């Protein structure tokens, strides 16, 4: 199937194609709806998922502090004027202004456009370590966060039925790989979850739970000062955490995490947060310029290209793009891939795109980092802004306040705040729904099935005639009906009348 459109000169309304419905993609489309005049352009957004995920809340979802559906934003509900396509963009032919759209069902088609906005985001970056692809789980999607939560809760249920020993230890051991913000937050949040569960499991003690953080560098959380990161390490140690610095994962076959120090940690849950990379499906499937780290080369005004050359009609933002950091503080001279930059880039991109449509000059993106804030479990957090560092309860309030306000739309804000409020009074809802991944298991177990068809009975063998067997032995042929001699008739009995007459 092919979707065609008139040429740009013949079409009155330009078409804008947004590739990716994550942070940058959603905000770009959202703000375009606000800035575009009626009939000024048509906007289409394409993403395999029908929602945007607010990723800073994923650790709290994994810890059961926020309901999973409340940290995703429905594209169709909140993008009223945008055409939403639930599919993948598997190819970009910018030379001909077309993109290949591949839906989950049906045939791919070519979608024409005038302006393309590439905001396909990033995916977990892994290394070819034996066992990681088979046993680890990332923390980039809402599904992964829910799976982490359900695995911990289910493992507590299983461990409570086992005697102390290696199998119970394995079920109660969690290994997090990566000491950046995502790793530290999910590590601290799940540690807090496990501690809160112990009151419901009298068979288990705090000493039975084991949490290990593996970091290849000599420190954690490079986004904050060294002093602040050291405070976080001490705080985690007080809560029974084991942090392995300057350590690499060498293998994870069958859940046995082998470290570069020689230590082996048997575990049933490996959470991988050791870096991200630009979405390779979109980047490699197009003809837009790419820099050495696999991101789309982007100018400071968010148009694709270099400072000397512009790729007309192409834009990029968020984790998939290499945007120069004009503050001079970015790693390698580029903006770091985080939500703070993605949202602000998207808002400016929408304004700049509208400006170009109106033959105006776009503005360059420059943003001074406001700081970094992380939640470390209930009532505990850390905040760093330049030389100002907050720790503990105040930082935790700053974390929830900042992200609560940053959550898109008031409808979503109220749902998240409602979760916090209910959990404050009622405690977190610690029920595992792991079986939702196989919802038909009960139905399948007890469903009546047709009985298998009875095998067809073989026809009975004909009775063997002894005369034919004898004939075969003597070589004589069995007489046929034509040459068989007629049987002699038995003499008839005299009738009673004849006997009396005689």
């Amino acid at each position: 199937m092919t979707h065609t459109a008139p040429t740009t000169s013949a079409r009155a309304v330009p078409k804008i194609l947004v590739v990716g419905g994550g942070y940058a993609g959603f905000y770009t489309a959202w703000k375009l709806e606000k800035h575009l005049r009626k009939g000024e352009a048509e906007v289409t957004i394409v993403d395999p998922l029908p929602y945007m995920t607010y990723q800073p809340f994923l650790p709290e979802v994994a810890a059961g502090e926020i309901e999973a559906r409340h940290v995703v934003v429905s594209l169709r509900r909140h993008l009223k004027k945008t055409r939403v396509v639930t599919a993948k963009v598997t190819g970009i032919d910018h030379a001909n202004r077309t993109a290949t759209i591949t839906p989950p069902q049906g045939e791919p088609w070519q979608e024409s456009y005038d302006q393309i906005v590439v905001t396909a985001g990033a995916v977990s970056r892994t290394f070819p370590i034996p066992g990681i692809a088979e046993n680890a789980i990332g923390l980039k999607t809402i599904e992964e966060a829910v799976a982490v939560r359900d695995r911990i809760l289910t493992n507590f249920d299983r461990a409570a039925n086992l005697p102390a020993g290696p199998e119970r230890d394995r079920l109660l051991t969690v290994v997090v790989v990566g000491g950046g913000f995502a790793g530290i937050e999910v590590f601290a949040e799940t540690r807090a979850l496990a501690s809160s569960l112990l009151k419901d499991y009298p068979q288990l003690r705090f000493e039975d739970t084991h949490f290990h953080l593996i970091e290849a560098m000599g420190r954690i959380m490079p986004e904050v000062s060294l002093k602040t990161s050291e405070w976080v390490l001490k705080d985690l140690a007080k809560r029974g955490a084991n942090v392995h610095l300057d350590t690499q994962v060498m293998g994870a076959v069958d859940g046995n995490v082998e470290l570069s120090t020689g230590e082996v940690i048997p575990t049933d849950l490996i959470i991988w947060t050791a870096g991200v990379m630009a979405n390779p499906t979109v980047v490699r499937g197009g003809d837009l310029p790419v820099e050495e780290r696999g991101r789309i080369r982007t100018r400071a005004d968010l148009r694709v290209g270099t400072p000397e050359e512009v790729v007309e009609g192409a834009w990029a933002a968020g984790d998939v793009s290499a945007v120069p950091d004009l503050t001079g503080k970015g790693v390698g001279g580029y903006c770091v891939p985080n939500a703070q930059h993605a949202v602000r880039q998207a808002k400016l991109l929408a304004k700049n795109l509208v400006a170009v449509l109106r033959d105006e000059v776009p503005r360059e993106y420059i943003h001074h980092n406001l700081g970094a804030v992380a939640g470390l479990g209930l009532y505990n957090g850390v905040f760093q802004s330049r030389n100002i560092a907050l720790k503990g309860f105040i930082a935790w309030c700053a974390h929830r306040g900042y992200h609560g306000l940053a959550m898109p739309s008031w409808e979503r804000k109220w749902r998240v705040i409602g979760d916090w409020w209910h959990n404050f009074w009622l405690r977190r809802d610690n029920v595992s729904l792991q079986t939702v991944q196989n919802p038909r298991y009960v139905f399948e177990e007890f469903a009546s099935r047709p009985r298998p068809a009875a095998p067809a009975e073989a026809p009975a063998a004909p009775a063997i005639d002894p005369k034919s067997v004898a004939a075969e032995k003597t070589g004589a042929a069995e007489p046929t009906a034509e040459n068989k001699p007629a049987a002699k008739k038995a003499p008839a009995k005299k009738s009673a009348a004849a006997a009396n007459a005689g």
Side-chain angles (χ1 to χ4, degrees):
M1 180 173 65
T2 303
H3 290 197
T4 58
T7 60
T8 304
S9 59
R11 184 171 55 242
V13 180
K15 293 183 65 176
I16 301 172
L17 180 64
V18 181
V19 180
Y23 269 125
F26 172 79
Y27 270 95
T28 297
W30 207 24
K31 295 305 177 181
L32 281 172
E33 290 189 349
K34 176 181 177 181
H35 299 310
L36 287 169
R37 304 186 186 110
K38 185 176 181 180
E40 191 172 11
E42 295 177 356
V43 182
T44 298
I45 188 168
V46 183
D47 193 277
L49 300 173
Y51 51 79
M52 182 214 91
T53 302
Y54 191 76
Q55 293 181 0
F57 280 150
L58 292 182
E60 291 194 53
V61 172
E65 295 174 14
I66 303 178
E67 167 60 32
R69 282 188 174 89
H70 296 170
V71 304
V72 299
V73 182
S74 170
L75 300 181
R76 297 183 187 276
R77 176 169 182 172
H78 294 279
L79 298 178
K80 303 294 186 182
K81 305 174 185 177
T82 301
R83 172 184 166 221
V84 177
V85 178
T86 306
K88 290 183 179 181
V89 173
T90 54
I92 298 174
D93 182 6
H94 191 65
N96 295 303
R97 303 292 176 99
T98 60
T100 303
I101 312 296
T102 304
Q105 293 179 323
E107 296 296 323
W109 73 85
Q110 301 298 314
E111 183 82 15
S112 62
Y113 62 83
D114 297 295
Q115 303 280 338
I116 190 169
V117 179
V118 184
T119 53
V123 298
S124 295
R125 175 175 59 97
T126 59
F127 307 101
I129 300 173
I132 287 296
E134 294 79 12
N135 298 299
I137 186 170
L139 198 72
K140 290 291 292 179
T141 68
I142 190 66
E143 293 83 1
E144 290 173 326
V146 172
V148 167
R149 172 180 177 271
D150 286 344
R151 176 69 66 85
I152 292 175
L153 296 174
T154 299
N155 282 357
F156 264 74
D157 287 332
R158 294 173 177 172
N161 297 326
L162 297 175
E167 183 59 23
R168 191 171 80 172
D169 288 342
R170 186 182 67 86
L171 290 172
L172 298 178
T173 299
V174 175
V175 174
V176 177
V177 184
F181 254 64
I184 291 297
E185 285 194 289
V186 73
F187 183 72
E189 292 285 0
T190 52
R191 170 71 268 185
L193 168 63
S195 298
S196 71
L197 289 174
L198 292 172
K199 63 175 66 70
D200 299 323
Y201 294 87
Q203 308 94 325
L204 304 177
R205 301 175 304 160
F206 180 85
E207 292 76 16
D208 295 328
T209 60
H210 312 283
F211 279 72
H212 296 267
L213 178 74
I214 316 300
E215 171 53 49
M217 296 175 59
R219 58 165 295 182
I220 61 171
M221 303 175 74
E223 299 89 345
V224 302
S225 68
L226 181 60
K227 184 178 180 181
T228 301
S229 70
E230 289 175 347
W231 177 89
V232 173
L233 284 175
K234 294 178 181 178
D235 183 74
L236 292 174
K238 291 178 183 177
R239 290 185 277 164
N242 301 285
V243 180
H244 307 257
L245 299 179
D246 293 316
T247 305
Q248 298 179 357
V249 175
M250 309 304 293
V253 178
D254 297 329
N256 295 310
V257 179
E258 181 182 351
L259 305 182
S260 56
T261 58
E263 184 179 358
V264 177
I265 306 173
T267 178
D268 194 57
L269 178 58
I270 305 170
I271 306 173
W272 183 273
T273 65
V276 297
M277 64 178 180
N279 190 321
T281 303
V282 173
V283 173
R284 298 171 186 170
D287 57 356
L288 298 175
V290 178
E291 48 93 59
E292 56 274 7
R293 294 188 62 183
R295 298 173 297 179
I296 294 177
R297 193 175 296 279
T298 310
R299 293 160 45 96
D301 60 8
L302 303 176
R303 288 185 288 182
V304 174
T306 63
E308 297 78 23
E309 185 178 1
V310 177
V311 178
E312 295 294 342
W315 306 75
D319 295 355
V320 78
S321 64
V323 179
D325 189 341
L326 299 184
T327 67
K329 300 178 181 179
V331 178
Y334 296 103
C335 295
V336 295
N338 61 25
Q340 198 174 130
H341 281 302
V343 171
R344 285 166 175 79
Q345 288 171 6
K347 292 178 179 179
L348 179 63
L349 192 157
K351 292 180 180 179
N352 282 353
L353 202 162
V354 173
V356 168
L357 292 179
R358 297 172 183 171
D359 295 325
E360 299 172 1
V361 179
R363 295 188 296 110
E364 292 187 332
Y365 174 77
I366 181 170
H367 171 66
H368 294 275
N369 190 7
L370 299 177
V373 61
L376 302 176
L378 280 176
Y379 315 124
N380 194 22
V382 61
F383 170 80
Q384 177 87 47
S385 180
R386 298 183 182 178
N387 296 326
I388 301 174
L390 302 176
K391 309 175 185 70
F393 180 74
I394 296 177
W396 177 79
C397 293
H399 169 265
R400 285 204 163 177
Y402 173 79
H403 287 298
L405 292 174
M407 186 72 188
S409 85
W410 280 104
E411 178 257 339
R412 292 285 106 177
K413 287 179 172 65
W414 284 121
R415 292 184 187 273
V416 171
I417 294 171
D419 288 340
W420 289 337
W421 176 254
H422 292 145
N423 287 342
F424 176 78
W425 297 104
L426 305 175
R427 296 170 53 199
R428 61 182 111 203
D429 191 353
N430 293 329
V431 176
S432 171
L433 294 179
Q434 190 174 43
T435 51
V436 78
Q437 299 172 36
N438 181 24
R440 298 183 65 251
Y441 77 101
V442 174
F443 183 84
E444 288 179 331
E445 181 179 356
F446 297 101
S448 298
R449 292 174 171 82
R451 292 184 178 180
E457 295 183 0
I464 300 176
D465 186 357
K467 294 181 178 180
S468 64
V469 175
E472 290 179 2
K473 289 182 178 180
T474 58
E478 184 180 355
T480 64
E482 296 178 355
N483 57 22
K484 184 182 289 186
K488 295 182 178 180
K489 294 183 180 180
K493 293 182 179 180
K494 294 182 178 180
S495 63
N500 294 334

